[in-house]
Amino acid sequence: MKVLVVGAGIAGLTAALRADALGHDVEMLVKGRLREGSTAHAQGGIAGEYGPGDSAALHALDTMHAGDGHGDPVAIAALVDGAAATLDALIDAGVPFDRAADGSIARGLEAAHSLPRIAHAGGDATGRAISDALTARLQASGVHVREQAFAADLMTDDGRVHGIRLVDGTRIGADAVILATGGAGQLYPFTTNPAGTTGDGIAMALRAGAPVADLEFVQFHPTVLIDDAGAFLISEAVRGAGAVLVDAEGRRFMFDEHPDGELAPRDVVARAVARQALAQGSPVRLDATDVAGLAEHYPTIDAELRRRGYDWAAEPVPVSPAAHYLMGGIVTDTDGRTSLPGLWAVGETARTGVHGANRLASNSLLEGAVFGALAAEDLGAPPPAFAGHDTPLPRSGGDRVRPVNDGPGFSRAALQHVMWEQVGLLRDDAGLADAVRTLDTWDAPQPRTPAEQEDANLLVVARAVASAALARTDSLGAHFRLSSALEKPTLNQSALIGVR
Ligand code: FAD
Ligand code: SIN
């Protein structure tokens, strides 16, 4: 079977390697170079290393709880049941997970996990270690890799996907397409995500008529340093090791908000950080001065902070929430199947249902690997009949497609501004309605280049996110609606962002 895998993060790499091992003829398309997606930037680690007193069942409960009860129990069961085999496969691929003194895999703690169960490598360089190991495997495999191959659209015939059209017009036919194109952090001006996270897979799926869901759930990470050098994540693992959040007076405030303090679910911490900063007119700080061995345990973060002039061993560092992860995406079942025959979706571009309304820390790498493998194993199965849901899911809004014309008004910066201010961490009815109207008046330029295609995709995804957020009138997980516009502060100000 000829299989096209689009994307070389943990999800695409896992799917391609497994499909190759199963004897399929696999070609991988990557829009830039290998190792450029979010995977290589992952810091904290991968969940699923269960120690004494821990279990897959407890991990499932934590996942459902962090997701505010919105997760799909069947998908969550598939996620945690796949954890042990996933970690074994990564070790087998050569990922050098950090070890405890007794030689077992060291287990880190992150927010909303009942117990330490995060495997990490190189301290805070887990994503790089996984990306390097799997990419080395890829290069030694039979998978044909095409870099600088920007997938623009799915080729469909009578609803069946049979290939990919690249931005340069090249058409590549296939019996199966696996989208593994990652997230959409570039919807926002402040994001932990690397440059290419423009929601391409979701935009392609929407244009082809595949249902998407849960796009209103955008995760903002609470501890991001934002200064003139850009946004840089300071891992939740540092809070797991004892770092605390303090206000302008040096007072801890998280226990006023949640009994788990700094280790409350990520959405709760992000909102508390924003509110505190805005109330005091000065950024919240992450105080890691009592955490021993910062340079040893978090060498990547330590080097970057020092490069930017912060000595975090000596003084607290200003942090702010920034866009980090998209819980929603292309609807799939637990084999990664979408509703379109011939199309699978895995990793951050997919909505398997495991994350609910707010992803549990370090579950994304696990999801990419578990469902990447399951999708590859599903390829040879009898004709795909989408088994995701008994009844068709309503599509998130904004999925209609219009021809894109050179029109006034639109720019990526303008889109990001609207998304940050009106479809961001704190939302209200009037702002969401205004965002939907504004996004609707814009047309992106007719895409002829990769950059133009990314802009066009961002606009498609922004419309879908804003419409989905407007449609969900209650607050749930990361989707938080203020009761009145009067309450709504502007988030784009120096109180929130730690610009020095
Ligand atoms: P990515 O790794 O983003 O890969 C996407 C791939 O698709 C890339 O190769 C890209 O080039 C390609 N692509 C995209 N569009 C196209 C196109 N149109 N044509 C061709 N190719 C295309 N999660 C955890 O579980 N633990 C962590 O510790 C953790 N830390 C994180 C730290 C940071 C700074 C960030 C940004 C994220 C972190 N996450 C973490 C989240 C996690 O890293 C990502 O959700 C996950 O790696 C996504 O994997 P993926 O394979 O779906 O996509
Ligand atoms: C982090 O290291 O804080 C990021 C972990 C994640 O996104 O799961």
Side-chain angles (χ1 to χ4, degrees):
M1 190 177 205
K2 170 72 192 275
V3 181
L4 271 182
V5 177
V6 188
I10 190 167
L13 287 165
T14 306
L17 287 168
R18 187 64 63 95
D20 179 57
L22 290 169
H24 297 296
D25 170 14
V26 186
E27 181 165 358
M28 176 183 273
L29 307 178
V30 190
K31 70 176 170 183
R33 311 297 300 261
L34 292 170
R35 301 187 183 88
E36 281 182 354
S38 292
T39 297
H41 296 263
Q43 294 183 353
I46 177 165
E49 180 60 28
Y50 308 129
D54 201 2
S55 63
L58 188 53
H59 185 185
L61 274 179
D62 290 347
T63 300
M64 182 63 92
H65 179 243
D68 220 355
H70 187 63
D72 175 344
V74 176
I76 293 173
L79 177 81
V80 299
D81 288 350
T86 294
L87 287 165
D88 286 348
L90 290 172
I91 293 166
D92 184 56
V95 177
F97 285 115
D98 297 328
R99 300 276 163 175
D102 65 0
S104 62
I105 292 180
R107 292 184 291 271
L109 178 65
E110 290 181 18
H113 286 274
S114 298
L115 290 164
R117 60 166 77 99
I118 318 296
H120 45 83
D124 58 1
T126 314
R128 169 61 60 187
I130 289 175
S131 189
D132 285 351
L134 295 183
T135 303
R137 277 266 159 126
L138 182 81
Q139 286 162 338
S141 76
V143 177
H144 173 59
V145 180
R146 264 200 227 206
E147 292 181 298
Q148 311 291 3
F150 195 120
D153 266 312
L154 296 163
M155 288 157 47
T156 57
D157 191 7
D158 229 3
R160 184 179 174 88
V161 173
H162 60 89
I164 288 279
R165 181 180 63 76
L166 303 184
V167 168
D168 67 9
T170 307
R171 288 166 185 268
I172 309 171
D175 301 303
V177 172
I178 302 180
L179 289 176
T181 46
Q186 296 302 323
L187 287 170
Y188 295 90
F190 305 108
T191 177
T192 62
N193 291 193
T197 48
T198 46
D200 298 354
I202 295 171
M204 281 188 259
L206 282 167
R207 287 192 287 264
V212 299
D214 287 348
L215 290 180
E216 63 273 39
F217 302 116
V218 179
Q219 182 168 79
F220 288 76
H221 198 293
T223 55
V224 182
L225 169 66
I226 302 173
D227 65 9
D228 296 342
F232 179 72
L233 178 71
I234 303 179
S235 175
E236 205 158 87
V238 185
R239 270 178 286 135
V244 298
L245 290 161
V246 295
D247 66 11
E249 275 86 50
R251 189 186 69 88
R252 283 178 79 178
F253 57 90
M254 269 313 304
F255 281 100
D256 304 343
E257 304 278 343
H258 194 280
D260 294 334
E262 281 84 358
L263 296 181
R266 197 171 276 178
D267 58 319
V268 175
V269 182
R271 284 192 295 274
V273 165
R275 285 195 153 124
Q276 195 68 31
L278 293 166
Q280 295 202 318
S282 136
V284 160
R285 283 162 207 274
L286 180 71
D287 186 347
T289 55
D290 284 340
V291 179
L294 286 175
E296 179 197 346
H297 296 304
Y298 313 104
T300 314
I301 300 170
D302 186 71
E304 181 63 16
L305 292 187
R306 289 184 189 282
R307 193 181 70 78
R308 295 183 186 211
Y310 297 92
D311 180 358
W312 66 326
E315 59 176 356
V317 177
V319 289
S320 143
H324 183 62
Y325 186 84
L326 187 55
M327 268 70 74
I330 307 163
V331 175
T332 74
D333 66 11
T334 50
D335 290 317
R337 280 184 196 182
T338 73
S339 64
L340 299 185
L343 182 67
W344 283 254
V346 291
E348 193 169 338
T349 197
R351 182 275 193 191
T352 57
V354 298
H355 306 306
N358 171 58
R359 176 172 64 87
L360 181 67
S362 288
N363 263 358
S364 176
L365 292 175
L366 182 62
E367 183 197 33
V370 168
F371 292 98
L374 289 171
E377 278 155 20
D378 192 53
L379 290 169
F386 181 64
H389 298 273
D390 295 340
T391 49
L393 274 182
R395 291 184 183 170
S396 291
D399 56 351
R400 85 239 174 296
V401 181
R402 311 196 294 205
V404 282
N405 305 306
D406 294 313
F410 173 79
S411 70
R412 189 183 292 201
L415 177 146
Q416 289 175 334
H417 179 77
V418 167
M419 292 301 286
W420 180 262
E421 288 294 338
Q422 296 181 314
V423 198
L425 180 64
L426 307 174
R427 302 159 175 191
D428 65 45
D429 193 55
L432 289 171
D434 196 46
V436 168
R437 270 195 303 275
T438 305
L439 293 166
D440 210 45
T441 62
W442 285 341
D443 285 335
Q446 182 67 42
R448 295 183 197 93
T449 65
E452 288 170 353
Q453 185 67 60
E454 285 187 338
D455 283 349
N457 290 343
L458 280 171
L459 185 53
V460 168
V461 178
R463 284 184 188 137
V465 171
S467 305
L470 182 63
R472 182 175 289 282
T473 51
D474 54 331
S475 288
L476 190 68
H479 172 66
F480 191 82
R481 291 183 75 133
L482 297 159
S483 50
S484 109
L486 291 178
E487 274 185 63
K488 186 163 184 308
T490 172
L491 294 181
N492 191 9
Q493 55 177 263
S494 57
L496 188 61
I497 309 298
V499 176
R500 290 194 292 188

